[in-house]
C-alpha cells in the first residue's frame, strides 16, 4: 500500500537539490553562527566538524538507505525493514514525529522573524551598526506578542500551502531556483565583513581554538547541531530517501550534501564574526545575533537596504525547504498510515504546530515567566529536540543498522545491488555506525546531561 502511488524525485539532480533544500536553512544562517558565538568559537566548530564527518555523514547514509529500501514513511519503514517480532523499532519513527512538531514550533517562529526583517530592511528600521540600537530593534519584535504570533502564522500558512502541492512539484521547484543566489549574497557579505577594520579578531575567534572552552555541554550542543543541520535522527532523511530513485548513489549524494551544507555554514560564520568584533557586538548574544549583525553589515554597504531585503527573502526561501522536509515526516506518516489525504494531513499537522508554537512565540513576552529547568519554552523546545531527541534517534538508528540490519544487507543497499564499486567505503560506514557513532553519541549525551 505504502509502496504504490508515491510521488518521487524525478531526476538525480533533483534529489540532490531537494536533500540540500532540507539541510540548508535557518540552521546555517541563524543557528550555526549563534551557537558558535555562545559556545566559544573555534573549539565548538572543531567538535561540530568532527561530529558531522564521523557521526552525521554515516547516519545520513544509512537513514536515506532505510527509507529508500522500504519506500515508506518513518514509522512504516521500520515495520518493513525490521525482522519479524521486532516492531518496537518503529518507535524511532514516532520519536521523529514528535521531534518534527517540536522543531517546527520554534523554527517557524524564527522564520517569522526573517519574514518580518524583509520588511524592516526596506523601512530602514534596522539599519544600524550600533549594538544597542540593533538589540532594541530586535527586542521590539520578539517582545510584542501579537507580531510574534502573526508572523509565525504567516509562515505556517505559506509552508502549508506549498506542501499541499506534493513532493516533486513543491519541494524541487522551490529549492532549485534560489539557493545559488543565497550563496552569492553570502560571498558578498563575507567580502564586506572581512574588509572592516578589526575583522581579523573575528577570524581568530572562528578558527583559533581555545580548548579550555570545550565543556561537556559544548560538546553536546555541537553534536546536536550536527544532527539538526543535516536533518538527521528524526526521519526526515528517511522520508526523503523513500523518494530517491533506485540507482541514486547514496554515499556520493549524501557526501555532497554534507559538504555543500558545511560550506554555507562556514560562509555564514565568516560573514558574521569579523563584523561582530569590528562593530563591537557581543559574540555570545544568542538567538538575536544574526538579526543584529546581518543588518549592520548591509548598512555599511552602498545599496545595503535593498540587498538586505533580498538576503532575508532568500533566507526565508531556504527556511521553506527545511520546513517542507520537517512537515513531510508527520504528513507522510498520517497520510500513509491513516489513509488521510495529503491536504488533510498537512492541515492537521500545521494546526498542531500552531498550537504548540504559541508558548514558543510568546516566550519573550507574555510567557516569559514560564520556564522549565531555567529554559523558556522556545529554548526548551530547541534543547529537547536538538540536544536530546535527535541524538537519541541517531543512536537508535545506528544500533538498528549496526546490530540488527547487518553488513550484508547494508552492502547490498548502499552499493545498489553491487552496481557501485564502494565496498571498502561501506565497511567503513558500517564500522562507524556499529561502534563509533552510537558510543560517542551515548557518552556525549550522558555527559552533556550530567548523568555521568
Ligand atoms: N536542517 C535544517 C536547517 O538547518 C533544519 C531541519 C532539522 C530540517 C531537522 C529537517 C529536520 O535549517
Amino acid at each position: 500500500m505504502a509502496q504504490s502511488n508515491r510521488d518521487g524525485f524525478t531526476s538525480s539532480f533533483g534529489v540532490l537539490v531537494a536533500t540540500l533544500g532540507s539541510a540548508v536553512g535557518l540552521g546555517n544562517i541563524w543557528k550555526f553562527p549563534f551557537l558558535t558565538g555562545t559556545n566559544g568559537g573555534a573549539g565548538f566548530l572543531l567538535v561540530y566538524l568532527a561530529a558531522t564527518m564521523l557521526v552525521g555523514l554515516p547516519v545520513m547514509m544509512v537513514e536515506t538507505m532505510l527509507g529508500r529500501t522500504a519506500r515508506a514513511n518513518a514509522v512504516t519503514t521500520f515495520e518493513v525493514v525490521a525482522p519479524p517480532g521486532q516492531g518496537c523499532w518503529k518507535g524511532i519513527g514516532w520519536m521523529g514525529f514528535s521531534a518534527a512538531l517540536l522543531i517546527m514550533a520554534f523554527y517557524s517562529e524564527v522564520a517569522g522573524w526573517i519574514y518580518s526583517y524583509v520588511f524592516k530592511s526596506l523601512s530602514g528600521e534596522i539599519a544600524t551598526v550600533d549594538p544597542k540600537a540593533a538589540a532594541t530593534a530586535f527586542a521590539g519584535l520578539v517582545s510584542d506578542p501579537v507580531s510574534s504570533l502573526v508572523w509565525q502564522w504567516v509562515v505556517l500558512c505559506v509552508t502549508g500551502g506549498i506542501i499541499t502541492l506534493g513532493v516533486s512539484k513543491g519541494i524541487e521547484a522551490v529549492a532549485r531556483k534560489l539557493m545559488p543566489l543565497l550563496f552569492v549574497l553570502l560571498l558578498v557579505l563575507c567580502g564586506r565583513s572581512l574588509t572592516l577594520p578589526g575583522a581579523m579578531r573575528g577570524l581568530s575567534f572562528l578558527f583559533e581554538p581555545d580548548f579550555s572552552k570545550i565543556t561537556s555541554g559544548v560538546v553536546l550542543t555541537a553534536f546536536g547541531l550536527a544532527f539538526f543541520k543535516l536533518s538527521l535522527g528524526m526521519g526526515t532523511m528517511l522520508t526523503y530517501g523513500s523518494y530517491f530513485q533506485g540507482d541514486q548513489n547514496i554515499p556520493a549524494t549524501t557526501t555532497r550534501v554534507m559538504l555543500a551544507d558545511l560550506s554555507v555554514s562556514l560562509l555564514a560564520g565568516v560573514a558574521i564574526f569579523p563584523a561582530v568584533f569590528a562593530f563591537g557586538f557581543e559574540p555570545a548574544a544568542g538567538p538575536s545575533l544574526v538579526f543584529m549583525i546581518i543588518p549592520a553589515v548591509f548598512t555599511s554597504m552602498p545599496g545595503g537596504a535593498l540587498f538586505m531585503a533580498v538576503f532575508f527573502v532568500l533566507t526565508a526561501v531556504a527556511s521553506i525547504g527545511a520546513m517542507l522536509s520537517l512537515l513531510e515526516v508527520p504528513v507522510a506518516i498520517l497520510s500513509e498510515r491513516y489513509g488521510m489525504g495529503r491536504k488533510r494531513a498537512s492541515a492537521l499537522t500545521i494546526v498542531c504546530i500552531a498550537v504548540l508554537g504559541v508558548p514558543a512565540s510568546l516566550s519573550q513576552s507574555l510567557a516569559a515567566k514560564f520556564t522549565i529547568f531555567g529554559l523558556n519554552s522556545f529554548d526548551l523546545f530547541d534543547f529537547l529536540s536538538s540536544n536530546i531527541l535527535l541524538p537519541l534517534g541517531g543512536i537508535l538508528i545506528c544500533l538498528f543498522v549496526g546490530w540488527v540490519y547487518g553488513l550484508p544487507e547494508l552492502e547490498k543497499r548502499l552499493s545498489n545491488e553491487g552496481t557501485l564499486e564502494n565496498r571498502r567505503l561501506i565497511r567503513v560506514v558500517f564500522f562507524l555506525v556499529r561502534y563509533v557513532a552510537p558510543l560517542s553519541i551515548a557518552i556525549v549525551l550522558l555527559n552533556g546531561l550530567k548523568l555521568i
Side-chain angles (χ1 to χ4, degrees), residues 22-28 103 107 227-232 234 236 322 325-326 390:
S22 164
V24 173
L26 301 176
N28 309 67
I103 294 178
Y107 202 94
F227 278 90
F228 185 89
K229 265 315 312 122
L230 293 174
S231 318
L232 304 174
M234 49 151 300
T236 292
S325 75
L326 277 159
L390 304 193

Side-chain angles (χ1 to χ4, degrees), residues 103-174:
I103 294 178
M104 273 301 288
F106 72 87
Y107 202 94
S108 55
E109 171 64 14
V110 181
W113 301 342
I114 299 275
Y115 280 31
S116 100
Y117 264 52
V118 172
F119 298 95
K120 288 182 192 287
S121 310
L122 295 172
S123 73
E125 256 175 274
I126 49 171
T128 174
V129 298
D130 173 48
K132 269 218 184 86
T136 311
F138 181 73
L141 170 65
V142 295
S143 61
D144 174 9
V146 177
S147 55
S148 309
L149 271 179
V150 169
W151 280 115
Q152 181 174 39
W153 290 340
V154 172
V155 169
L156 290 175
C157 290
V158 170
T159 319
I162 295 172
I163 206 172
T164 44
L165 297 177
V167 170
S168 43
K169 287 183 219 91
I171 304 179
E172 267 183 59
V174 178

Side-chain angles (χ1 to χ4, degrees), residues 329-345:
V329 175
V331 168
I333 291 175
L334 291 176
S335 63
E336 291 176 7
R337 291 183 70 87
Y338 298 100
M340 244 181 235
R342 281 183 64 86
K343 285 193 184 151
R344 269 189 59 203

